[in-house]
Amino acid sequence: MTATLETETKSRLEWAVEIARQAGDVTLEYFRNPSLLVERKGDDSPVTAADKGAEKLLRERIAERFADDAIVGEEYGQTPGTSGFVWVLDPIDGTKSFIHGVPLYTTLIGVLHTADGNVESGTTQLGVIRAPALDEVIYARRGAGAWHQRGTGEPVRAAVAPDRPLAEGLLVTSEVGSFRKRKSGQGMETYLELDQRARLARTWGDAYGYMMVATGRADVAIDPEMNLWDAAALQPVIEEAGGVFGDWQGTATVHSGEAVAGNATAMREVLEVTRGK
């Protein structure tokens, strides 16, 4: 990383951590509110005023400091930029959990850098995963490690679990039913094989599952469906915590529409199952 890119990403990470907290506070105003209204988007996924309000705040705060940066968000699409930096936003990752009052939802902010202005060629530079209802955050930028903070405590260096096989570890995913949607028709078989190999499998998923991997509480997180705004914040956090992040073929990317992450030993075993499926 060049000195200029390092300086630019450092300033953006500091701002990303701050505005993720602010956006998380917006979501808490609606969390477990019995009057919360749920709408359905074109793909039948749910959206609430909390999703929309949090993303609007993020966009406004980014424009205040980095007006030349592009933005891609789940709720309001893409805003072009000229700086080469792209902010990727998911105001509430785990909206279904949020709606049902489950505190494992998160606010995600990732920043990519692209030399040609094409988002799909962008490489992840930093990521923030904030769990507002748990007052927990993990953040990372390339070359600077991943840092985990609970409440007002001091941030501590985050690290994946010591390398151990899946038979001794915890596997997490977001939704078992999503494996049935794999075009190959082998998605459910893949999940069932991994479930059988793991010591324990749970649906403590969405981005919180990847936070669990990055802090050593889970060994593998896997999802057969992943949008850019779901993945962009995860890759730098996992990799800076010493883990492996990529698609089901083992490519380190956030652009494949799927994801798997974990410690190196467990990941080798998982990729034996997922490659080609």
Side-chain angles (χ1 to χ4, degrees), residues 27 30-40 44-51 92-105:
T27 71
Y30 298 90
F31 186 54
R32 293 177 177 168
N33 185 333
S35 63
L36 179 68
L37 297 178
V38 180
E39 302 173 39
R40 293 285 175 179
D44 201 40
S45 62
V47 64
T48 71
D51 300 79
I92 298 182
D93 183 76
T95 299
K96 293 176 183 177
S97 294
F98 176 84
I99 291 167
H100 288 280
V102 178
L104 303 185
Y105 74 92

